[in-house]
Amino acid sequence: MSQREWGVVADVQKHSVHTLVFRSLKRTHDMFVADNAKPIPIDDKSHKLKMGVKLRTEYGPVLHMPTIKENREKGHGVLDAYEHYPSIQGLESEYMVTGTHPYPSGPGLALTADTQIQRMPSESAAQSLALALPPSQARLDAHRIAPGIGDIYRQAGHPERSQPPGLASMESGGMKNSALMAKKAPTMPKPQWHPPWKLYRVISGHLGWVRSLAVEPGNQWFVTGSADRTIKIWDLASGKLKLSLTGHISTVRGVIVSTRSPYLFSCGEDKQVKCWDLEYNKVIRHYHGHLSAVYGLDLHPTIDVLVTCSRDSTARIWDIRTKAGVHTLIGHTNAVATVRCQGAEPQIITGSHDTTIRLWDMVGGKTRVTLTNHKKSVRAVVLHPRQYTFASGSPDNIKQWKFPDGNFIQNLSGHNAIINTLAVNSDGVLVSGADNGTMHLWDWRTGYNFQRIHAAVQPGSLDSESGIFACTFDQSESRLITAEADKTVKVYREDDTATEETHPINWKPEIIKRKRF
């Protein structure tokens, strides 16, 4: 070892172990005490804002309770609850009802200025309002005169079961301790009993699949469209053929009779949409524009407007009188299989093979809401005649929805086939007809499947020709008419001899079923 190297070693060895340990400690201390990795000091203003938002969103409905309890203990009396309720002012719009009228109960009513801005109170908002209102005498008096939120729920056709917990206590005086009451376990309402339906007439005459069906407003006759390219008009009472109309050069996929004029409208796979004058039994108008087969059509109940849907992925709105296209509704990415109109918003509903349902703004010609819950093609949509609801049919499920925003209500599961058609009457009987010839009848409110029908095919037909393409109730809702693949039209009616004892309800509720989308 050289003298220079020895000097370096000697320098290192000058320090005692004690000194080296403390030097190492100091370096470690400097490394970890530095505030580089420390969080930024909390800004009081930002922290208060954050906690205020958290309080409002998570604890809004009960935020006022400790204050009121404290006041009661101190003997200050009950103050106006809204003074201690600043944190949920954002919820006011949810239970602010501008008029006492609910949304229109049926498709034929138009929204007024009062009802357009009205929103039904949500359950959480109604409950929080129930907790907040003081049980003053004025409030009790007002209850005898003005309708409560519960009344509005009932008027809107909501079943009693949907009344939020705490609402009952609000209507009886709004006691503060309602929040301490145990919530009732969710219960499923028992289905209404419906008599079973039975086949009583089979009408033959078409030479091809019967694809479409419509009953005239006077309930004297009905019309069918077929793959034999003809439209036939039948007497409803006797089932006898009254008239055949020819003019289409391909399958007639849709027919509808106007309630406002003596016109019959038809559409087909020949891309044609025709208007027939039933006083002369001749075509008086054509509506040109679709680029492919036209699969369905519907008339607006209050305006002279016709809506058609096509395999070209569009729906079109036509002015009946001038034959002009008012709007082309673009948005679907596959064939549009079905279209329905109503007087209230949204006025047009379409179902498509792209698995979606769209609710349209008719004035602007744009989509209001797109419902993507279905997994497979939506071939059928039906509107309830009294409630502000509708149903859609697909091979995966039948789904029920609530207008105007398309809120999901429930699934009706069990009809595992391609559902071509849906019909519903005022008694709450929903009928689904499928491609395999089966027909299921459901209770609308509970989704209970109370009957399954598979009628035999016409003699001479193959079993594979069993299929239901269209079904509808007549105007009296006492008869159900189906259009089938065995070239027949079948007519059903309720079994008069059936009672609740002979055909009991075999009901096994599934609570979980309602919660799924």
Side-chain angles (χ1 to χ4, degrees):
M1 184 181 289
S2 66
Q3 189 175 0
R4 186 177 176 186
E5 287 173 350
W6 177 255
V8 172
V9 172
D11 285 344
V12 173
Q13 289 176 345
K14 275 183 189 176
H15 305 290
S16 65
V17 175
H18 190 267
T19 306
L20 291 172
V21 167
F22 271 92
R23 185 177 293 173
S24 176
L25 278 172
K26 184 177 183 304
R27 285 175 184 157
T28 307
H29 182 268
D30 291 343
M31 183 186 297
F32 289 104
V33 167
D35 61 354
N36 301 331
K38 278 189 177 179
I40 300 168
I42 293 174
D43 177 39
D44 290 340
K45 189 176 178 183
S46 301
H47 183 65
K48 281 179 184 174
L49 183 64
K50 176 187 169 186
M51 295 309 291
V53 170
K54 191 168 183 179
L55 279 170
R56 181 180 302 179
T57 54
E58 296 188 17
Y59 305 106
V62 294
L63 198 58
H64 62 295
M65 289 185 65
T67 313
I68 293 175
K69 185 179 176 185
E70 200 175 295
N71 288 342
R72 193 160 53 213
E73 286 171 357
K74 289 178 183 175
H76 289 166
V78 180
L79 299 174
D80 185 359
Y82 285 109
E83 292 177 13
H84 302 281
Y85 209 53
S87 55
I88 58 166
Q89 288 171 356
L91 292 175
E92 284 180 2
S93 60
E94 289 186 49
Y95 54 73
M96 186 73 72
V97 181
T98 57
T100 56
H101 301 286
Y103 276 116
S105 57
L109 295 175
L111 291 181
T112 63
D114 291 334
T115 53
Q116 270 178 337
I117 57 170
Q118 172 181 328
R119 280 197 281 167
M120 282 299 157
S122 68
E123 291 195 8
S124 61
Q127 189 176 358
S128 59
L129 180 62
L131 299 175
L133 291 173
S136 63
Q137 190 58 40
R139 174 70 178 158
L140 295 174
D141 292 341
H143 262 294
R144 298 190 188 105
I145 304 162
I149 290 176
D151 297 327
I152 294 168
Y153 262 77
R154 284 190 289 274
Q155 285 179 23
H158 290 266
E160 294 296 328
R161 60 192 161 79
S162 66
Q163 185 167 339
L167 195 58
S169 62
M170 180 186 84
E171 292 185 341
S172 61
M175 297 304 290
K176 303 293 181 300
N177 60 0
S178 58
L180 306 176
M181 292 167 59
K183 285 187 180 180
K184 280 182 70 176
T187 56
M188 293 276 286
K190 192 172 183 185
Q192 178 187 345
W193 183 81
H194 300 285
W197 292 70
K198 62 180 183 180
L199 176 68
Y200 85 99
R201 178 171 289 149
V202 178
I203 302 170
S204 303
H206 277 296
L207 303 177
W209 289 353
V210 189
R211 295 302 304 247
S212 51
L213 186 63
V215 181
E216 65 101 11
N219 214 36
Q220 299 299 309
W221 47 266
F222 67 95
V223 57
T224 55
S226 167
D228 64 9
R229 304 173 305 216
T230 64
I231 298 167
K232 291 185 184 289
I233 294 176
W234 312 82
D235 184 68
L236 188 57
S238 65
K240 290 180 180 172
L241 180 65
K242 291 170 70 103
L243 183 68
S244 289
L245 300 172
T246 56
H248 280 282
I249 57 173
S250 189
T251 303
V252 182
R253 291 294 293 266
V255 287
I256 189 165
V257 186
S258 173
T259 58
R260 298 160 60 84
S261 51
Y263 293 159
L264 163 69
F265 296 86
S266 65
C267 65
E269 292 180 3
D270 50 12
K271 311 179 197 174
Q272 294 184 11
V273 181
K274 296 175 183 283
C275 173
W276 305 77
D277 188 328
L278 295 175
E279 292 177 346
Y280 299 96
N281 299 329
K282 290 181 180 176
V283 178
I284 57 168
R285 296 188 187 105
H286 285 93
Y287 302 90
H288 295 287
H290 279 297
L291 306 176
S292 190
V294 186
Y295 282 168
L297 77 174
D298 201 11
L299 287 166
H300 196 284
T302 56
I303 309 169
D304 284 332
V305 154
L306 172 71
V307 187
T308 56
C309 62
S310 167
R311 201 179 69 172
D312 62 12
S313 306
T314 68
R316 287 177 183 260
I317 305 173
W318 310 90
D319 184 322
I320 290 173
R321 191 173 55 82
T322 66
K323 302 180 284 186
V326 180
H327 284 302
T328 301
L329 306 179
I330 299 170
H332 285 295
T333 56
N334 207 329
V336 186
T338 180
V339 63
R340 287 289 176 269
C341 287
Q342 63 174 358
E345 293 289 343
Q347 297 183 46
I348 298 173
I349 301 95
T350 56
S352 168
H353 288 285
D354 65 8
T355 76
T356 66
I357 301 160
R358 284 178 183 256
L359 314 182
W360 300 86
D361 171 15
M362 193 173 81
V363 178
K366 292 184 171 57
T367 305
R368 285 168 55 109
V369 183
T370 304
L371 307 174
T372 58
N373 301 40
H374 280 292
K375 307 289 188 296
K376 296 186 179 178
S377 303
V378 181
R379 294 173 185 239
V381 167
V382 67
L383 313 182
H384 194 284
R386 291 186 179 172
Q387 297 178 16
Y388 201 38
T389 55
F390 71 103
S392 58
S394 173
D396 56 2
N397 263 319
I398 299 168
K399 295 180 187 289
Q400 288 179 341
W401 314 85
K402 188 160 55 178
F403 287 123
D405 300 321
N407 298 325
F408 175 75
I409 300 173
Q410 65 178 347
N411 277 326
L412 279 61
S413 302
H415 202 171
N416 301 317
I418 298 170
I419 294 171
N420 286 323
T421 177
L422 293 171
V424 64
N425 68 10
S426 300
D427 292 335
V429 175
L430 175 68
V431 181
S432 57
D435 219 37
N436 60 1
T438 59
M439 188 164 66
H440 287 204
L441 287 87
W442 314 78
D443 177 50
W444 178 275
R445 184 166 166 234
T446 59
Y448 168 64
N449 180 203
F450 68 89
Q451 189 182 6
R452 299 183 179 189
I453 301 172
H454 193 171
V457 294
Q458 179 178 222
S461 301
L462 301 172
D463 283 341
S464 59
E465 285 187 303
S466 180
I468 300 172
F469 292 118
C471 69
T472 186
F473 289 96
D474 71 344
Q475 302 297 339
S476 68
E477 299 183 336
S478 62
R479 285 167 286 196
L480 172 65
I481 309 167
T482 63
E484 310 216 359
D486 61 356
K487 306 175 187 133
T488 66
V489 176
K490 294 186 172 73
V491 187
Y492 296 81
R493 65 182 172 197
E494 290 181 341
D495 188 350
D496 299 331
T497 61
T499 63
E500 291 193 50
E501 287 71 34
T502 59
H503 293 79
I505 294 174
N506 180 24
W507 181 60
K508 295 172 183 174
E510 300 172 28
I511 301 293
I512 303 166
K513 181 179 74 172
R514 269 179 187 278
K515 295 184 180 176
R516 295 180 58 197
F517 61 88

